[in-house]
Amino acid sequence: MNIADLRKSYEKAELSESASQADPLKQFDQWLTEAIHSEVPEPNAMTLATVGANLRPSTRVVLIKGYDEQGIVWYTNYQSQKGRELAGNPYAALQFHWVELERVVRIEGLVEKVSAEESDAYFKSRPLDSRIGAWASPQSEVIDSRTVLVTNAAKYGAQFLLQPPRPPHWGGYRLKPDNWQFWQGRKSRLHDRLRYTLQGDGSWLRERLAP
């Protein structure tokens, strides 16, 4: 097998200016809803890109937990690599890739922490094992073995029983978009690609980009 010979013809749908939403949030809501209803694997998974103090970008997959006019929300460990990088450079990018629908959504903007009240409310909704895990894992730190995680989980499980509080180092982030791109695969690599750019008056400029 020659990996350079792997190709796919994209022919499922199209994305036109007349058929797309003028508001990118509404277009995102439409596509995410369609991805969920299509039962694609983990439609809520998104790649988060941040840049560290050394100017090197890094990516990881996180799960979207909410979205509205204020932005896109996810939750994580504030002391993780992504947390440290966002503390130094609060701009980030997100990407959804729904392979089965031949669609990609790219989102860029400023990131801020959600309120403590929002983080508390979401933390309480998580399964007990996940709440204990937030205490047990020193995310992005070097550990000797998996035994460290298992031991920590047992320790915090015994300490907190059924009511672990939200760790002070754990909570939500919200990306406030100022740039969206919607990509729909098309035949012959002549893909549809629409960009929405936030204007000074709060409106969105929609433009077609060459693929």
Side-chain angles (χ1 to χ4, degrees):
M1 182 187 68
N2 185 347
I3 194 171
D5 292 334
L6 294 176
R7 291 181 176 84
K8 177 182 178 180
S9 181
Y10 300 100
E11 302 179 14
K12 287 186 177 295
E14 63 181 48
L15 179 63
S16 66
E17 289 83 347
S18 60
S20 62
Q21 302 284 347
D23 183 335
L25 182 64
K26 293 181 179 179
Q27 183 64 40
F28 173 73
D29 178 70
Q30 176 182 325
W31 272 19
L32 178 57
T33 300
E34 291 176 2
I36 294 171
H37 289 167
S38 298
E39 298 183 342
V40 304
E42 294 199 282
N44 55 332
M46 58 187 184
T47 299
L48 165 65
T50 56
V51 177
N54 59 2
L55 303 184
R56 294 180 62 131
S58 59
T59 64
R60 73 287 291 162
V61 176
V62 297
L63 301 179
I64 184 174
K65 293 300 179 180
Y67 63 97
D68 56 22
E69 292 78 8
Q70 296 183 69
I72 310 293
V73 174
W74 69 95
Y75 292 86
T76 191
N77 188 317
Y78 290 144
Q79 296 174 352
S80 64
Q81 179 181 347
K82 55 185 170 296
R84 296 193 301 268
E85 290 180 347
L86 287 170
N89 176 10
Y91 287 92
L94 301 170
Q95 177 172 288
F96 291 84
H97 187 192
W98 298 307
V99 177
E100 292 78 4
L101 301 179
E102 301 173 354
R103 288 174 174 173
V104 173
V105 179
R106 296 165 55 187
I107 314 166
E108 299 175 4
L110 181 69
V111 178
E112 63 184 14
K113 290 181 179 179
V114 306
S115 69
E117 292 76 16
E118 288 178 85
S119 291
D120 286 341
Y122 174 69
F123 188 79
K124 290 178 181 178
S125 75
R126 304 181 86 208
L128 177 60
D129 287 350
S130 296
R131 284 178 280 158
I132 294 297
W135 284 94
S137 174
Q139 195 173 109
S140 301
E141 298 298 323
V142 175
I143 57 176
D144 291 334
S145 69
R146 183 173 178 81
T147 302
V148 174
L149 300 178
V150 176
T151 301
N152 284 349
K155 179 182 72 173
Y156 287 113
Q159 178 180 343
F160 297 126
L161 300 178
L162 299 178
Q163 298 298 329
R166 178 175 65 89
H169 57 263
W170 191 97
Y173 286 106
R174 176 181 287 107
L175 184 143
K176 305 175 70 172
D178 55 28
N179 187 292
W180 298 73
Q181 287 194 35
F182 295 85
W183 180 96
Q184 176 69 62
R186 297 294 301 276
K187 190 176 181 179
S188 303
R189 296 299 187 262
L190 300 179
H191 311 301
D192 289 329
R193 185 178 171 196
L194 299 183
R195 179 179 66 188
Y196 295 73
T197 306
L198 183 63
Q199 304 298 289
D201 61 0
S203 64
W204 291 93
L205 173 64
R206 180 178 53 191
E207 301 170 298
R208 176 173 289 268
L209 302 181

